[in-house]
Amino acid sequence: MPNAVRVRYAPSPTGNPHIGNIRTAMFNWLFARRNKGRFIVRVEDTDQGRITEGAVDHILDGLEWLGIDWDEGPRVGGGYGPYFQSQRLERYHAAAERLVAAGEAYRCYCPPERVDALRKEQARNRQRVGYDSHCRYLAESERLANDAAGMPSVLRFAMPQSGVTSVDDAIRGHVEWQNELTDDFVLVKSDGFPTYHMAVVVDDHAMEISHVLRAEEWLPSTPRHVQLYRALGLTMPRFGHLPMILGADRAKLSKRHGATSLMEYRDDGFLPEALINFMALLGWSLDGETDIMAADTIREHFTLERVGKPAAIFDLDKLQWMNGVYIRQTDAVDLADRIRPFLEREYPADLLPIDREYLLRIVPLVQERIKTLADAPAMISYFFEDAPEYDGAMLVQRGMDAAGTLAALQRAEADLSAVAAGDFGHESLEARLRATGAELGLSGRQFFGTLRTALTGRTATPPLFEMMEVMGQERVAQRLAVAAAKLADA
Ligand code: GLU
């Protein structure tokens, strides 16, 4: 199937994956799914100095959390492995030998100090910064002597020194570069590991990648890759460079604009569905106006034609809004189960174990008001505390005194304990307590303000009677008694 779509996400395991990086993964995945192709994960771990421990797992866990599944790669295997570049060195060396034999690459013995000094001087003189091809012109005898002496060396690509290199980018259209502006870049480093350029070309070909969809920051590397394909006599994949992602201030996305790593968003209580929807709109659109779309819809409609060239703006407010929309759409049982770990994280000791049935009844009371899962614990913790903490003076509302407040609490306690167990629903509670309040000559604000404080220790809570119903007769009675005791003691 020569025309089959095969795309890859090729992360370098150098830290926690950030949003831009995951957006790239996601667009590749969407493109594969839409075109019934294969989505491949390949770990680009040839820069040994920059690898961080655990990074591969973070990346893969992040994809799994988002529901981005891959057909080949780590954890799943596949017919084009291994999927770690550090395990594919012989392939790069074989390609390197072919390039040397064809006169397309050469050994360079220049010490790093010389190359650095050269760059500095070029920058000072405002010249093109890059290697000056010094070793490209070494006599064969010099080369042999250097090798015999065991001089360290790198392998460089002999870049054409004139003409242009061009691509027809699936997103950016026709792009071309003057060859003289690209230097003889390194293919194999002195430690024997390939550079990114070498490895990416060899592997994209070996893995039969049909489309290379990657961030725009890689566009300047593309003429190098195109030349390598030519020199190796390989057919090229189609390139597509995804637009940059900028903050609302149009600066490159960074910490300043909020969390940048995917896992921070997870830990801050964002839903994967919301992030998928949000990230899809970082450079792509369904019709230029629809905001809320399920992953299925995005997958069905994703095309490169609708990926734009202009930079995408990362708008944290929009993400928060969108997350709220998804939270409200989530089934309450599902939502409760997602909130639970956040409760356990915030209140490890005092609230545990959390009663799931109880939580299921609480969650609908706050579902409309939370923007993230992490908002929930502070909003509902008092449901679980045996005795919410507050100052007894808070019970006394404006226009009341302590004695009147105590009497009101006692009356409410008596009223509510008279309710038949099966009748503790919010409607009948409301009717009953409104009548009592009127009888006591208290306004709703006064009477219900006192009750609200007694039950929660707060002034802002979900609707009082719904809350009472959820807490249940026993808890309510016990809290009213605690409140009465507070006043009696004062
Ligand atoms: N390893 C590169 C990265 O970390 C991949 C670039 C590419 O997709 O060619 O972004």
Side-chain angles (χ1 to χ4, degrees):
M1 278 205 304
N3 294 322
V5 163
R6 291 178 54 86
V7 287
R8 83 313 190 266
Y9 167 48
S12 303
T14 54
N16 277 339
H18 58 81
I19 288 286
N21 207 277
I22 295 293
R23 193 267 320 245
T24 297
M26 189 177 115
F27 278 28
N28 276 284
W29 172 72
L30 290 168
F31 187 72
R33 295 293 170 258
R34 159 72 205 243
N35 293 290
K36 310 227 173 329
R38 307 272 286 172
F39 175 54
I40 295 135
V41 174
R42 178 179 73 225
V43 179
E44 304 212 321
D45 57 350
T46 60
D47 196 346
Q48 295 286 301
R50 292 180 59 226
I51 295 175
T52 53
E53 177 146 353
V56 173
D57 280 327
H58 281 137
I59 293 165
L60 301 177
D61 292 348
L63 294 179
E64 282 181 0
W65 177 67
L66 287 169
I68 295 180
D69 57 332
W70 58 102
D71 308 303
E72 296 173 27
R75 295 186 184 168
V76 301
Y80 294 75
Y83 293 92
F84 287 82
Q85 288 189 325
S86 59
Q87 295 167 21
R88 303 173 61 84
L89 297 184
E90 69 285 1
R91 290 169 173 82
Y92 313 129
H93 293 151
E97 271 165 36
R98 279 172 55 204
L99 289 170
V100 173
E104 302 274 4
Y106 62 90
R107 293 248 137 240
C108 165
Y109 308 88
C110 292
E113 301 77 47
R114 173 176 185 272
V115 179
D116 282 349
L118 187 63
R119 287 174 172 276
K120 288 202 181 103
E121 189 182 319
Q122 289 161 338
R124 245 194 328 270
N125 299 336
R126 298 178 186 277
Q127 290 167 321
R128 183 202 75 169
V129 173
Y131 183 62
D132 61 358
S133 305
H134 174 82
C135 291
R136 189 162 171 170
Y137 307 108
L138 284 188
E140 184 64 13
S141 56
E142 265 178 287
R143 219 186 293 280
L144 290 173
N146 286 345
D147 286 339
M151 258 173 86
S153 64
V154 299
L155 188 73
R156 286 185 185 273
F157 185 65
M159 185 70 193
Q161 290 165 325
S162 61
V164 295
T165 299
S166 65
V167 287
D168 176 23
D169 189 280
I171 293 161
R172 314 206 65 83
H174 180 83
V175 189
E176 59 178 44
W177 298 265
Q178 299 292 322
N179 288 338
E180 63 193 21
L181 298 180
T182 301
D183 71 350
D184 291 348
F185 55 95
V186 176
L187 295 170
V188 181
K189 295 175 277 188
S190 54
D191 63 3
F193 278 86
T195 56
Y196 156 68
H197 305 300
M198 178 73 175
V200 83
V201 166
V202 168
D203 285 344
D204 283 343
H205 179 261
M207 296 182 178
E208 294 183 30
I209 298 302
S210 62
H211 296 73
V212 168
L213 307 178
R214 60 184 173 195
E216 195 182 316
E217 63 183 292
W218 298 106
L219 187 61
S221 295
T222 306
R224 296 174 174 178
H225 303 168
V226 172
Q227 285 298 333
L228 266 174
Y229 280 105
R230 177 201 51 76
L232 286 164
L234 306 176
T235 45
M236 276 203 306
R238 185 91 200 271
F239 290 96
H241 288 87
L242 309 174
M244 303 225 285
I245 304 177
L246 303 179
D249 55 0
R250 303 201 68 84
K252 195 173 175 304
L253 199 60
S254 72
K255 271 272 158 229
R256 270 183 312 118
H257 301 104
T260 52
S261 94
L262 178 68
M263 292 320 199
E264 278 175 84
Y265 284 100
R266 184 192 60 187
D267 297 344
D268 288 348
F270 287 87
L271 303 185
E273 300 93 313
L275 272 165
I276 289 274
N277 190 158
F278 177 75
M279 286 192 296
L281 297 175
L282 292 175
W284 174 84
S285 82
L286 178 65
D287 52 15
E289 49 186 320
T290 309
D291 269 327
I292 301 293
M293 285 166 277
D296 283 351
T297 310
I298 302 168
R299 252 192 324 250
E300 261 165 52
H301 293 97
F302 184 87
T303 61
L304 295 180
E305 286 72 43
R306 293 211 60 88
V307 175
K309 276 189 251 189
I313 304 294
F314 182 94
D315 179 351
L316 188 57
D317 291 337
K318 180 168 176 178
L319 173 57
Q320 270 159 349
W321 164 78
M322 207 173 253
N323 204 56
V325 172
Y326 276 89
I327 282 184
R328 290 192 288 281
Q329 283 180 5
T330 302
D331 162 70
V333 175
D334 181 11
L335 186 60
D337 287 334
R338 297 199 207 196
I339 286 176
R340 189 192 180 86
F342 286 83
L343 271 172
E344 289 171 344
R345 186 180 74 183
E346 289 294 310
Y347 299 97
D350 31 338
L351 298 186
L352 297 182
I354 287 163
D355 176 347
R356 181 165 182 266
E357 289 307 310
Y358 187 32
L359 181 62
L360 291 184
R361 283 184 281 128
I362 294 167
V363 162
L365 297 180
V366 294
Q367 185 161 10
E368 294 291 321
R369 299 199 296 147
I370 53 175
K371 285 218 171 79
T372 68
L373 301 174
D375 288 342
M379 239 180 247
I380 63 176
S381 60
Y382 56 81
F383 278 94
F384 298 91
E385 287 154 7
D386 279 340
E389 262 176 53
Y390 59 92
D391 177 356
M394 261 176 75
L395 292 161
V396 184
Q397 309 298 310
R398 211 174 331 131
M400 295 171 79
D401 59 13
T405 307
L406 178 58
L409 281 168
Q410 285 165 339
R411 178 62 202 277
E413 227 187 307
D415 253 14
L416 294 175
S417 56
V419 175
D423 204 17
F424 212 74
H426 66 270
E427 279 166 14
S428 72
L429 290 174
E430 176 163 5
R432 188 178 284 261
L433 290 170
R434 279 200 188 283
T436 304
E439 229 177 88
L440 292 169
L442 295 173
S443 71
R445 184 189 55 74
Q446 290 173 317
F447 190 36
F448 302 147
T450 296
L451 295 181
R452 185 184 306 283
T453 304
L455 295 179
T456 67
R458 322 245 179 131
T459 48
T461 71
L464 180 66
F465 306 106
E466 268 101 331
M467 217 166 52
M468 287 184 161
E469 175 180 333
V470 165
M471 286 182 174
Q473 196 163 17
E474 207 178 304
R475 237 183 234 104
V476 168
Q478 183 247 340
R479 290 180 189 205
L480 294 181
V482 170
K486 270 191 204 250
L487 276 182
D489 291 350

